[in-house]
Structure formats: C-alpha cells, structure tokens
Amino acid sequence: MRRIKMLTAVLLTAALLLPASMADARLEVKADASALAASYNTNVNDIAYASGVEDQAQSSYCWAFMANAVLESYLLKSAAVSMIDLSEWDMINQLGNGSYAFSNLYTGGSYKQAIAYWTRGSLYGPRLEADSGLTDYYVSETAELGRYQREEPQSKQEYIQKIKNLVVTYGAAGVSVYFDAQNRAATTRDGGYYYPQEQSPGVNHGVTVVGWDDNFAPQWFYNALTFPHQPQNKGAFLVKNSWGRYDTSSIGGNTGYYWISYDNYFQDAFSVTQVVQRSNLCHRVYETDYRGLYDYGLGSSYSRTYQLSGGAQWLTAIATYVKAGANYRFYLNGQELTQCGGTMAQSGYHTFQLSNPVLINGSSIEIRAEVSGNGEAVPLACSANSYEPDDGNVCLKAFTKTQWDYTPGNTGWNQGTGLSTITGVTITPQECTMMQGTSRSFQARVLGSGQPSQSINWQISGVSSANTRISENGVLYVAPDEGSTVLYVYANSQADPVHSAVARVEVTQRTGSGANTGNTSNTNTNINGTPNTGTNAGASNGGTIITGTPVENQPDPSENDSSNINGSKGEDPDEIRGTVRVGTVNQGVYSVWEDGTAEYTKCTAPNRTSVTIPANVKISGKTYAVSVLDEGCMRGQKKVKTVTIGRNVSQIEEDAFYGCKRLKKIKITSELIEYIGEDAFRGIAANAVIYVPRGCLADYRTMVRESGNKSVRVKTYN
C-alpha cells in the first residue's frame, strides 16, 4: 500500500498576544540541536511554529505571503507571541503606493521588498491583519543564503543543510522555487511536488520551509511533463504554500502544504534571525534606502550624511546589509565607533546596536562603513524599478533617540520626563472621503496618566503627488493631481512616537465645485488649524449630507485661483463638470452627481454580516439611482457574509469586494452591468457563489472570470 503523508495545519487566529513582560528589547532564539537529524517537524497533525495557511488568490504577491510566514514563524518560535497573523496587503499597498513605491511591484518581487517594508521608518513595519494596527516589532537581522552552484552537487548539499539550520534555529525559511501553477496537477502527486533541477527555467514562486524528511522516497513524486518523471534522490522539504488551505493539489487536498523534492532547484533562501522592539530602538530613523537592497557592488567603504531634526539626539544603532566573512568598522563624523562592527557570520540585513548611545549635538551626522575581507560588499539601494540600483545610493541607516529621553547609567530609557505615561493616541475622523484639490482638518489626542504632552507629529503615506501634504496642525491638502485612491494620515505622539493613530482617507476625482449651502451649524478648522464656524447642509431621511465644498473640504487657501503649488496654471473651475455631494445613509457612504446617479463609495459597518446596496438612495430630499460600486468600496470587510447588489448598478470597480474572506453569497439583481473591474471578487470565501439574473449568466460569468477570479461559482437565482 502506497504511503500517503497527510497533514493538518495548525490554524492560528489573527490576534497578537504579547507576553506579560518584554523587558528585553532583543528576542533571541536558540537552536534545538537534537532536531538536526534525518527528519524534523513532520508530525502531520501538529506543525510547530507555523501560522495559518493564507491565500494569495489571483496575484503575483507570493513573496509577501512567504515573507510574512517566515516572520510569523520566528515570533512563534521565539515565544514573542502565541498567535499571529500579519497583513500582507498592508505590505503590498505600502510598497506599491506613495513616494517610495516600486513601479513594477505587480510583476513580481522577492523577500528583499519585504525586508524594505519591515525596516522603514517609525510609521512602517509589520501590521496586524485583524485591524491594521502597527506592531512594535523591528526586524533587525536576517540570514540570506543567495544561490548555490547548480552544477556542483556538493554545493547543493551544503545549501540544503543551511536551509535546515535556518528552519531549526529560527522557525522557518523562505525559499524560491520553480512551480508550474497552471499544471500543478501534472507535476504533483498526493501533495508531493517535483520539477527536475536540470530543466528548471529558474524560480517563479516563494514558499516557506517548515520541516524536512531525508528519507522521503522518490516514488512518492511524479511529474508527467518532464523526464525523468521522478527524482533520482530521496529526501524532501515540507513547505507551506500560499494558495489557500483547500488547494486540491496540496497534501490531503485540504491543507495548503506540500512536500518538495530535494532534486528541485532552490534559490534565495532566507530567515528572520532577530527582532527588536522598535520603541526601544529609536525615536527617529534616518534613511534613504526606503526600497531596500538592490545588490552588492565593488568597494571598500560607503557613507551617508543626514541632517538631524529636533536638536541634540543619541545615536542608538546603525543598520546596513552585510556579507558573511566580511569585516565592518563604522565611523561617526570621522570618529570610529568601537562598540559595533566585526566579522559577519552570515549575510543579510544587520542592525548594530550601541550598548552606550553616543550624544550628537551637531546639525548633521556622517555615518561611514569600512569593509575588508570582501571586495564586493557595498550594499546598493534599490530604485523604483526593482531591477535597477538607485543612482549610487547605499543602504545605511542611523537610529536616534531624543536627548531628554536617555538617562546614562543603569536606569536606561525613560518615558518622557517621568511625570506622565503615554498609553495611546486617538484621531478624528478615523475614515473620511476627500476630493482632489481640497483640504480638511484632523484632530488627535494623546492618552495616558498624569499630563502627557499633546504635541503631535503629523505624517501621511500612500501619496503619489509631491503637492499632497499635511501641515504641522493636522490639515491635509489633497493635490488636484493626486493619483492615489487611498491615503493614510498618521498622528504620532511627539513625546513617545511608538504611540500613534491612523486615519484612512478615500480620494475621489475632482469633478465639480459648488457653493456651500444649508443651515446646520458646524465648527471646522481652516488651513492654519484655527477654529472656524461654517455651515453645512443638514441631514434628512436618515442620511448625513455634505453639500458642495464645506470649510474642511475647501481648496487649499495657500494657493491662488490661477496657479498650483509649482506656480503653473491651474484648472479653471468653470470647466469642472457637475457637483459632488457626499452623504452617509444606513452606514454606507455615497458620492452623488447632478445627473441623478450615485456611487456607492464605502461601507462603514465593519461588524455587519449582511449588506444591501440599494437601487436608489435618498440624500437631502433627492433620490439618486445607485449605478456604480466604487473601487475598494467593501475591501477587507472581515465579517460580511452576504451582499445584495441593487438593480441600477452598471459598474463594479476594481477591488470592490477584495479580501472579504467570509463573503459566501453575492446576489446581483441588476441586468445592466457592463463592467467588472480587476480583482473585484478576489480573496472572498473559497466556496462563495455569485447569483445573477438568468438572462445575464453567460456575460456576467465571463466578466467575473476576466476580473481575475476563475474559481468562484456563478449561478442563476431565477
């Protein structure tokens, strides 16, 4: 009887549970030497240090899912958490939007982009899937194996052994392989995948190694597309994939795990090897390598000069990418930092922490690295095109804390002045919609005991226009040429930047202007942050309506009527079409137009399990036909299970229901739909059904398939 290795994955919830005490900033992991044997972590009923299986759906973002699985495994192995689920889509959105985005992210990536995301400034880093909350984790070290010589068997054997060492020491290792997803049934048998190294065209997919079995027999593999059909050698890695738990080609057809033969080709294996608490590491990060490492170049030294902000500070750490066997020495303004440096045991991202922070009183710092023992160890920063370097820019970060937060001696870092404790920050509003070319004010409050400082540092992310900005008083101006559809506003406590709050801003296209009407009194804030008393349209029929352009949504008064921020001629208001009114009805946000139609812009009911998008909506006494579901209107609604779409809808825009993991039933009553945008139904429940009118079945099924979801069932309801 043929042996079949079955697997039941450990399903972990999205909650992040921190230990009761985390006094040590460094989270260390010790290797289990007894596990370095012929097999490891092969108990199919209990995969140790593995988070839940994710589904990347119809995307090329396997690298993001693989990388987060590696980090999650490290946190489980180190006992920093007992359950963890990090957000891959926050990583993808941050790397794909804004001033430091990758221009070609959708065409594929690698774990290097993930490291760039984990190690950016204080507003970035791992966020939780459940609520997008920023964690306090900073990935301070990684181990990266690069490639082996394919034609040398000994090099391959050493590479396999190094992967095992990473897995047993740090919990898991990410690795790139060639995986023919379209023909997976022909290349996979009972969850065992084999593609001959000699015929592999390279790599195209990232998976997470969690265990191995050196005695896994070759006959349990079969590839009908290649010759030989089976491996020549025994042995296989147990890997977690990102095609969902119910991937029929995986082990048992319902686990999401595979056995991959050692005879496959592997490349770019890596692990997270150290995580520190961001709040203990720094208040500020000085960096220019926002997109991470491109590759290593020739040279024996490299440096960066940074202008300091905020007065005297303490240098707490330096980070760069290092090569195994190379020796590093670091200099601050020409003076050697003898506390850090040395010969590196492994290649990867490395943060050199200073045991005694160095006080800097000047207005700038120069950090220089001197390298010996390897003539090709200068880490070149990546450009917006992930396949090109960034014009000589290098990867070299500096971390500081403000002077008054450090007490020399054994007392260590203090929270503020010791007279108060900061516990959190709130922001108002947490969600809103803004039109291009308008402004609005955000308010923040610092929470805590005593009298915590209410000083806030305001920042924004996700912007595509250099003209979009936020003032020091929290007034956001969305430029007329802003191309992003979603922006994030961050309110950071100035006294303790680890505490912050975030607001999500939906950006709509500037299509109209209008007078501010109505008689409902309201207090707003102008561009300078001072209160103004203005008037907005009143509410009627259960809806809250903002008509025209209220004070907090006015064009930026710092610009005149004829010129934009660069002094060039602006858009003539007389040429702008129509008037946009934004209203909220039954926990749904609508944009309505003078032609009598409306757009369903956003669902604001995160706990609702059933949502109905009506045929018509009544706002401020006028009825509008709901004809469009806006881009991402219900994206990431975690609890919704059923949705009904009204009879007047003609367009479903991109990402409309993206990531609604529990959405099982969508009923479309409209017979007018002409367009379904890309990824509109990506990431919904694996067993979801879309019900449509009988006469529209063929057309609607084709549109759903062409939008990127080829597996969801489309049926008639009449």
Side-chain angles (χ1 to χ4, degrees):
M1 181 176 180
R2 185 173 57 177
R3 180 181 61 163
I4 300 177
K5 296 209 171 193
M6 301 294 292
L7 173 70
T8 301
V10 178
L11 299 179
L12 302 176
T13 67
L16 173 64
L17 303 180
L18 294 176
S21 174
M22 287 187 65
D24 294 330
R26 176 172 177 149
L27 304 175
E28 296 194 53
V29 179
K30 301 296 184 183
D32 179 4
S34 64
L36 296 175
S39 63
Y40 173 73
N41 209 16
T42 60
N43 183 344
V44 295
N45 296 310
D46 187 10
I47 304 299
Y49 316 123
S51 53
V53 174
E54 300 278 1
D55 188 354
Q56 71 185 73
Q58 303 296 321
S59 77
S60 59
Y61 300 129
C62 57
W63 54 270
F65 288 83
M66 174 264 288
N68 263 0
V70 169
L71 176 55
E72 290 165 350
S73 184
Y74 174 89
L75 294 171
L76 292 166
K77 174 78 172 179
S78 64
V81 297
S82 59
M83 294 178 286
I84 183 71
D85 186 6
L86 300 173
S87 173
E88 290 77 24
W89 292 108
D90 181 80
M91 179 191 299
I92 294 163
N93 289 334
Q94 295 289 0
L95 292 173
N97 297 282
S99 301
Y100 306 113
F102 286 93
S103 60
N104 58 340
L105 192 68
Y106 188 78
T107 62
S110 75
Y111 69 88
K112 292 180 181 178
Q113 277 100 347
I115 296 175
Y117 163 83
W118 291 334
T119 59
R120 283 181 178 179
S122 59
L123 298 182
Y124 299 91
R127 289 182 178 268
L128 297 180
E129 182 72 58
D131 57 9
S132 295
L134 180 63
T135 68
D136 197 21
Y137 295 125
Y138 190 89
V139 176
S140 59
E141 290 183 15
T142 64
E144 303 169 34
L145 300 185
R147 306 178 186 183
Y148 59 88
Q149 299 296 320
R150 295 176 69 165
E151 66 279 4
E152 297 181 8
Q154 184 61 34
S155 178
K156 172 71 171 286
Q157 291 304 313
E158 291 175 356
Y159 199 84
I160 290 174
Q161 184 61 33
K162 288 178 180 178
I163 293 176
K164 293 178 183 178
N165 288 334
L166 292 180
V167 172
V168 74
T169 306
Y170 304 110
V175 67
S176 295
V177 298
Y178 178 74
F179 213 133
D180 191 345
Q182 298 302 318
N183 295 307
R184 72 181 87 166
T187 58
T188 308
R189 170 185 285 181
D190 298 325
Y193 173 72
Y194 166 65
Y195 204 99
Q197 173 173 284
E198 295 74 20
Q199 300 179 41
S200 175
V203 296
N204 65 353
H205 187 55
V207 295
T208 308
V209 180
V210 297
W212 68 83
D213 184 350
D214 291 342
N215 295 313
F216 200 100
Q219 59 263 34
W220 306 136
F221 298 99
Y222 189 83
N223 185 333
L225 305 179
T226 66
F227 186 83
H229 299 306
Q230 295 179 320
Q232 303 304 299
N233 302 291
K234 61 183 180 180
F237 285 122
L238 180 62
V239 305
K240 182 172 73 169
N241 205 357
S242 54
W243 293 339
R245 182 182 176 188
Y246 295 99
D247 174 10
T248 56
S249 294
S250 65
I251 299 172
N254 61 355
T255 63
Y257 281 77
Y258 285 77
W259 287 101
I260 295 187
S261 167
Y262 288 163
D263 281 8
N264 284 270
Y265 175 61
F266 305 101
Q267 180 180 303
D268 294 331
F270 92 105
S271 286
V272 171
T273 61
Q274 182 176 296
V275 174
V276 300
Q277 290 174 278
R278 187 183 293 263
S279 57
N280 279 359
L281 181 64
C282 67
H283 284 164
R284 294 184 175 92
V285 181
Y286 295 95
E287 58 189 338
T288 56
D289 55 335
Y290 301 95
R291 300 183 186 93
L293 178 69
Y294 164 71
D295 202 351
Y296 294 94
L298 297 173
S300 59
S301 68
Y302 54 98
S303 65
R304 290 297 312 176
T305 298
Y306 296 105
Q307 299 298 314
L308 296 182
S309 58
Q313 295 161 52
W314 297 86
L315 180 69
T316 60
I318 296 169
T320 187
Y321 291 83
V322 300
K323 275 202 165 183
N327 182 272
Y328 291 79
R329 300 171 72 175
F330 294 96
Y331 297 81
L332 169 64
N333 295 332
Q335 298 294 316
E336 185 173 4
L337 294 168
T338 57
Q339 300 180 50
C340 60
T343 301
M344 298 296 101
Q346 57 194 16
S347 300
Y349 183 79
H350 194 97
T351 303
F352 297 86
Q353 298 185 63
L354 279 63
S355 56
N356 293 302
V358 177
L359 179 62
I360 309 168
N361 285 310
S363 59
S364 66
I365 56 171
E366 184 210 27
I367 303 295
R368 188 172 85 253
E370 297 283 351
V371 187
S372 59
N374 192 315
E376 193 173 356
V378 176
L380 304 178
C382 197
S383 68
N385 184 338
S386 62
Y387 302 106
E388 296 177 352
D390 186 18
D391 294 331
N393 187 18
V394 296
C395 300
L396 189 60
K397 302 178 190 285
F399 303 81
T400 68
K401 280 209 166 188
T402 51
Q403 179 184 2
W404 45 267
D405 265 353
Y406 181 70
T407 303
N410 296 325
T411 56
W413 297 98
N414 295 326
Q415 189 85 275
T417 61
L419 300 178
S420 61
T421 299
I422 294 173
T423 59
V425 178
T426 61
I427 189 171
T428 305
Q430 290 183 320
E431 288 190 0
C432 67
T433 300
M434 292 181 62
M435 191 165 50
Q436 294 169 325
T438 63
S439 299
R440 77 163 300 150
S441 176
F442 291 81
Q443 289 80 41
R445 181 186 176 194
V446 180
L447 307 177
S449 60
Q451 296 181 335
S453 169
Q454 294 298 311
S455 297
I456 293 291
N457 284 330
W458 294 93
Q459 291 180 290
I460 53 175
S461 70
V463 298
S464 65
S465 169
N467 299 330
T468 296
R469 59 192 182 274
I470 192 165
S471 75
E472 62 182 13
N473 296 313
V475 178
L476 174 65
Y477 171 61
V478 179
D481 62 344
E482 178 57 58
S484 296
T485 58
V486 178
L487 305 177
Y488 293 92
V489 175
Y490 297 90
N492 310 294
S493 166
Q494 195 174 84
D496 186 11
V498 73
H499 292 294
S500 65
V502 61
R504 188 175 189 272
V505 180
E506 299 266 358
V507 179
T508 60
Q509 188 174 3
R510 187 179 184 185
T511 57
S513 63
N516 190 20
T517 62
N519 56 15
T520 301
S521 178
N522 190 19
T523 301
N524 304 293
T525 305
N526 65 20
I527 194 69
N528 299 312
T530 56
N532 284 335
T533 301
T535 57
N536 289 338
S540 64
N541 300 308
T544 302
I545 177 71
I546 301 175
T547 305
T549 50
V551 173
E552 75 265 40
N553 219 26
Q554 291 282 4
D556 188 353
S558 66
E559 302 180 22
N560 58 41
D561 291 337
S562 61
S563 300
N564 62 21
I565 192 68
N566 297 314
S568 58
K569 190 71 175 177
E571 189 176 15
D572 186 350
D574 293 335
E575 296 179 358
I576 301 176
R577 175 182 59 84
T579 299
V580 180
R581 299 183 176 98
V582 179
T584 302
V585 177
N586 194 24
Q587 293 186 293
V589 179
Y590 296 85
S591 297
V592 300
W593 316 95
E594 287 185 342
D595 63 2
T597 63
E599 178 181 82
Y600 184 78
T601 302
K602 177 69 176 176
C603 175
T604 59
N607 295 318
R608 183 171 291 180
T609 60
S610 180
V611 173
T612 297
I613 300 168
N616 302 288
V617 64
K618 193 171 185 179
I619 296 178
S620 194
K622 185 175 180 179
T623 299
Y624 299 86
V626 181
S627 62
V628 178
L629 304 189
D630 196 10
E631 179 178 343
C633 59
M634 292 194 63
R635 178 172 182 147
Q637 293 285 330
K638 297 293 192 296
K639 296 186 178 181
V640 65
K641 296 180 180 179
T642 63
V643 170
T644 301
I645 298 174
R647 67 178 182 273
N648 290 324
V649 172
S650 61
Q651 296 183 47
I652 302 175
E653 299 288 352
E654 288 79 1
D655 298 340
F657 299 96
Y658 185 95
C660 297
K661 296 182 177 180
R662 297 186 179 180
L663 181 55
K664 296 182 179 180
K665 179 181 178 181
I666 304 104
K667 183 178 180 180
I668 301 176
T669 62
S670 172
E671 298 182 3
L672 307 174
I673 293 179
E674 300 174 346
Y675 171 75
I676 297 178
E678 185 177 359
D679 297 333
F681 298 103
R682 181 149 65 106
I684 63 177
N687 58 345
V689 180
I690 300 176
Y691 294 94
V692 303
R694 182 174 300 277
C696 303
L697 178 61
D699 290 341
Y700 285 12
R701 178 179 285 159
T702 298
M703 283 190 279
V704 170
R705 298 289 182 262
E706 291 178 347
S707 73
N709 194 319
K710 300 186 183 301
S711 60
V712 67
R713 290 172 291 171
V714 182
K715 298 182 177 181
T716 62
Y717 62 83
N718 56 8

